[in-house]
Amino acid sequence: MTAQTLGEVPPGCRRRLLDHYGPSAEAWLSATPSLLDEAAARWKLSLKGYHDAGHSSAVAWAATPDGTPVILKAWYEPLRYRHETAALRMWAGGPTADLIEAADDLSVAALELVGGRPGGAASTGCERQMVAAAIHGLHSLGQSRLRPDVPSLDHFRQEVMMPRIRQRAENLGLGARRSLVEEACAGLPFLREDATRTTVLHADLYRENVIFDSAGHPRLIDPHPLVGDAAFDWAFWTVYYDLEYEVRDRLATAARISRIPLPEITPWCRALALDGFLYYMEIDDPAKPKIEKVLSSFMTSDLEVDR
């Protein structure tokens, strides 16, 4: 049995999941402590406390009988649980958090605790280059191993991203920003994938999803995995890793490390920035000016850099 049980999920976790999934998540949030208790008892773990992070899951930390700390993660969406754990199995030993145990009936998994504490250790410098190397390493594993059963980038683009861009572009009051959005939308039909670059994508490379181990090496956590052109991940990292800051430098690093030509990364940058801009417009996010500036820069020659 566990040494202790956890109470209700932290208020921050509750708020983020309700914002993300809506009121339908209420019942799951109420059941989450019992899900974590059951997983901990099954794997003979002692629960220690919650780690208040993430937008699609509840996270706690625990210890094995020999005192080794681990992360317990419970997903609201069983499908997202299956996709993420499938990708983590494929990436085992790579620059991620290793999967230790998984309970399909609970949508709960035990993961390696990176850096000795929830949230990981501190970066030791050269962050941009080290994260780029980790992305490249992740993509190399995705090309050399049997690919997991996760959605394709083509499906995501055609069935998720494009429809929501069109809907928001038509329904939002864009005012003076309409010409920017229309110009960006005009390039969407020309997005192309290169089959020679097909790999398993992380597809959620925000800074909060990159943590560091005790040696200062980056680990890419909380993937939303897809199978498709590596250019998508490099574009996502370029646009969103540190919104508005060092975009030019990340783009140059992405092109250099991946050896993907800039003209094949930047169309994905434009599409991702447009998608984010319209979403931030819809929810009136305070980051609207930042993403608008990034999108505008990709509609000019501002970010043409030398490799």
Side-chain angles (χ1 to χ4, degrees), residues 148-167:
D149 183 16
V150 301
S152 70
L153 174 57
D154 183 64
H155 178 272
F156 171 76
R157 179 172 62 89
Q158 298 282 6
E159 303 299 327
V160 179
M161 187 172 75
M162 298 283 279
R164 72 189 179 196
I165 286 175
R166 285 195 295 267
Q167 181 181 36

Side-chain angles (χ1 to χ4, degrees), residues 118-138:
S123 168
T124 57
C126 300
E127 184 173 324
R128 186 174 69 254
Q129 292 83 354
M130 292 182 70
V131 173
I135 296 169
H136 184 66
L138 208 70

Side-chain angles (χ1 to χ4, degrees), residues 1-7 36-49 61-65 67 72:
M1 294 295 292
T2 59
Q4 70 177 80
T5 59
L6 301 176
L36 294 171
D37 288 349
E38 169 61 25
R42 190 176 298 183
W43 300 324
K44 297 180 173 57
L45 303 175
S46 299
L47 291 165
K48 300 300 183 182
W61 69 287
T64 64
L72 275 186

Side-chain angles (χ1 to χ4, degrees), residues 201-205 223-226 232-233 236:
L201 306 171
H202 183 285
D204 214 25
L205 286 165
H224 206 336
L226 301 168
F232 179 88
D233 261 357
F236 197 113

Side-chain angles (χ1 to χ4, degrees), residues 144-223:
S144 64
R145 295 178 177 176
L146 186 65
R147 287 169 193 158
D149 183 16
V150 301
S152 70
L153 174 57
D154 183 64
H155 178 272
F156 171 76
R157 179 172 62 89
Q158 298 282 6
E159 303 299 327
V160 179
M161 187 172 75
M162 298 283 279
R164 72 189 179 196
I165 286 175
R166 285 195 295 267
Q167 181 181 36
R168 287 167 176 158
E170 291 170 2
N171 296 338
L172 289 173
L174 298 173
R177 300 177 179 91
R178 181 159 296 279
S179 60
L180 172 64
V181 170
E182 289 177 347
E183 183 184 359
C185 283
L188 294 176
F190 302 103
L191 284 173
R192 295 288 183 270
E193 292 190 59
D194 184 333
T196 66
R197 298 194 295 255
T198 298
T199 187
V200 182
L201 306 171
H202 183 285
D204 214 25
L205 286 165
Y206 295 100
R207 190 171 205 156
E208 66 197 49
N209 290 339
V210 178
I211 61 176
F212 295 85
D213 63 22
S214 55
H217 298 135
R219 304 285 195 93
L220 313 180
I221 63 168
D222 294 347

Side-chain angles (χ1 to χ4, degrees), residues 21 69 148 183 218 264:
Y21 292 113
E183 183 184 359
E264 297 179 31

